[in-house]
């Protein structure tokens, strides 16, 4: 301890409130699955931004130093250990190479002022299979024209689309209980074998003072998507899209319990994708079943409010 702390009997009495805050933060991270969703979907809201609870660790530590509180500095070790246990594995860099298939997905934003430019920017990443969400009917042609040279095969269902360097068959919409089409499925005939690719755009969620985290429609659609994936006959399955939720959000369990996140398995860092100006959550997902994630990353910003994401997998 610093020289001025020696002989200061108050270092153990000061900072009790800070120590309490440190314990509270740790408990929220440990017990997040037990925070009820009955009131404003508070549990899902907490889980959406769970990695950001780590911000409290340095804040409490600095306050503890300023208060000259040994109690606070010891207590802050608890949320630090919990956070590292939950998310420490995402801090290392992935140096993996190889893989058979590069896949990418992007919510292009219905109000995108330059659809052709956005399409070209994402295509430049070199993905073999590219999924786009939030395609307005009046802009589909612009995306088709911009991507036709790179992707000879494509299909659009409602507001979602799939572009591929390999043939597509068995293309069909997927009912996610919204009343209009925001999900689809196709079989991609890759050189390594057939892969079932799902593209989905879950309903939006909002945080409202009078209603909390309004996610009920998103949750119902996630259940429907999970049921469709559970019925999938092919062994190799890829899900691409904007799920409007993170892998920590229990309300997406119908999907996340069946599949692996490429970012969680082989990505660098958290891979936050939204909002593009200052990404705070990874609500855009690449998930797989029956294939091995090799690497996963975010792509440079386009004219959308989401960042595009990509991954490489081994078939």
């Amino acid at each position: 301890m610093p020289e001025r702390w020696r002989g200061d009997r108050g270092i153990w009495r000061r900072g009790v409130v800070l120590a309490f805050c440190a314990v509270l933060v740790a408990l929220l991270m440990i017990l997040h699955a037990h925070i009820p969703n009955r009131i404003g979907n508070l549990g899902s809201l907490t889980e959406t931004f769970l990695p950001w609870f780590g911000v409290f660790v340095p804040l409490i530590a600095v306050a503890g130093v300023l208060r000259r509180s040994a109690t606070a500095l010891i207590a802050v070790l608890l949320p630090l250990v919990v956070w590292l246990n939950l998310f420490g594995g995402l801090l290392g860099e992935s140096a993996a190479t190889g893989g058979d298939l590069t896949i990418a997905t992007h919510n292009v934003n219905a109000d995108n002022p330059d659809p052709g430019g956005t399409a070209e920017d994402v295509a430049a990443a070199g993905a073999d299979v590219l999924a786009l969400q939030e395609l307005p009917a009046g802009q589909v042609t612009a995306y088709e024209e911009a991507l036709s040279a790179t992707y000879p095969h494509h299909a659009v269902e409602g507001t979602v689309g799939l572009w591929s360097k390999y043939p597509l068959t068995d293309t069909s919409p997927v009912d996610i209980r919204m009343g209009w089409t925001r999900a689809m499925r196709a079989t991609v005939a890759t050189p390594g074998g057939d892969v079932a690719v799902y593209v989905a755009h879950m309903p939006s969620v909002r945080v409202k003072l009078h209603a909390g985290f309004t996610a009920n429609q998103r949750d119902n659609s996630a259940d429907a998507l999970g049921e469709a994936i559970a019925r999938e006959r092919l062994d190799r399955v890829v899900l691409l899209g904007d799920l409007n939720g993170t892998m920590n959000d229990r309300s997406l369990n119908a999907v996340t319990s069946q599949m692996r996140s490429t970012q969680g398995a082989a990505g660098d860092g958290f891979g936050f994708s939204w909002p593009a100006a200052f990404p705070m959550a990874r609500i855009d997902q690449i998930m797989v079943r029956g294939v091995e994630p090799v690497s996963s990353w975010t792509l440079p910003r386009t004219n959308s409010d989401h960042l595009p994401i990509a991954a490489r997998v081994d078939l």
Side-chain angles (χ1 to χ4, degrees):
M1 291 183 182
E3 185 67 30
R4 62 179 179 167
W5 289 34
R6 294 178 181 176
D8 183 356
R9 297 178 182 178
I11 62 173
W12 299 105
R13 294 193 299 269
R14 287 191 298 267
V16 173
V17 173
L18 289 173
F20 173 79
C21 291
V23 173
L24 179 61
V25 170
L27 288 176
L28 287 172
M29 288 191 289
I30 293 172
L31 303 174
H32 67 86
H34 298 283
I35 299 174
N37 259 346
R38 290 188 299 273
I39 302 174
N41 287 304
L42 186 59
S44 287
L45 178 61
T46 300
E47 289 163 343
T48 296
F49 298 102
L50 195 61
W52 289 95
F53 276 62
V55 171
F56 292 107
V57 173
L59 292 178
I60 295 172
V62 170
V65 170
L66 295 176
R67 286 282 291 153
R68 290 190 292 170
S69 170
T71 300
L73 293 177
I74 291 173
V76 81
L77 294 176
L78 181 58
L80 174 61
V81 170
V82 173
W83 190 91
L84 288 174
N85 181 62
L86 291 173
F87 304 110
L90 296 174
L91 300 179
E93 292 187 3
S94 173
T97 58
D100 305 306
L101 189 70
T102 301
I103 47 185
T105 181
H106 189 27
N107 179 326
V108 296
N109 188 357
D111 297 322
N112 195 312
D114 183 16
T118 294
E120 292 171 358
D121 289 343
V122 180
D128 301 305
V129 177
L130 170 64
L132 301 180
Q133 304 89 50
E134 213 166 289
L135 296 170
Q139 292 185 355
V140 169
T141 301
Y143 287 102
E144 290 174 332
E145 292 175 351
L147 295 171
S148 61
T150 305
Y151 300 100
H153 311 280
H154 85 280
V156 175
E157 298 284 352
T159 61
V160 297
L162 186 66
W163 278 258
S164 174
K165 294 180 180 179
Y166 309 118
L168 301 178
T169 57
D170 300 328
T171 300
S172 62
V174 174
D175 181 11
I176 56 172
R177 303 170 188 160
M178 289 190 64
W180 68 96
T181 302
R182 288 199 358 179
M184 63 176 289
R185 179 213 176 273
T187 299
V188 181
T190 77
D194 287 350
V195 178
V197 177
Y198 287 78
V199 184
H201 183 193
M202 294 291 101
S204 299
V205 298
R206 298 287 186 270
V207 180
K208 301 178 181 178
L209 290 177
H210 67 281
F213 191 56
T214 57
N216 292 338
Q217 189 176 20
R218 189 275 317 261
D219 300 346
N220 291 335
S221 289
D223 291 343
L225 179 62
E227 293 168 7
I229 293 173
R231 294 191 297 267
E232 176 55 52
R233 67 189 186 281
L234 293 181
D235 293 330
R236 299 180 179 126
V237 185
V238 171
L239 169 61
L240 303 166
D242 173 6
L243 301 191
N244 271 308
T246 69
M247 293 295 295
N248 295 316
D249 189 338
R250 76 193 72 169
S251 295
L252 299 183
N253 280 351
V255 176
T256 58
S257 63
Q258 303 184 62
M259 310 187 78
R260 300 173 67 193
S261 161
T262 58
Q263 187 69 24
D268 292 336
F270 292 97
F272 294 150
S273 63
W274 177 90
F278 187 83
M280 297 185 65
R282 185 179 178 87
I283 64 174
D284 301 275
Q285 306 290 350
I286 298 177
M287 303 175 66
V288 298
R289 185 178 77 194
V291 303
E292 186 64 26
V294 173
S295 57
S296 186
W297 63 96
T298 56
L299 296 171
R301 184 179 179 182
T302 69
N303 282 306
S304 173
D305 56 341
H306 292 244
L307 293 179
I309 59 174
R312 190 150 179 84
V313 298
D314 191 345
L315 301 178

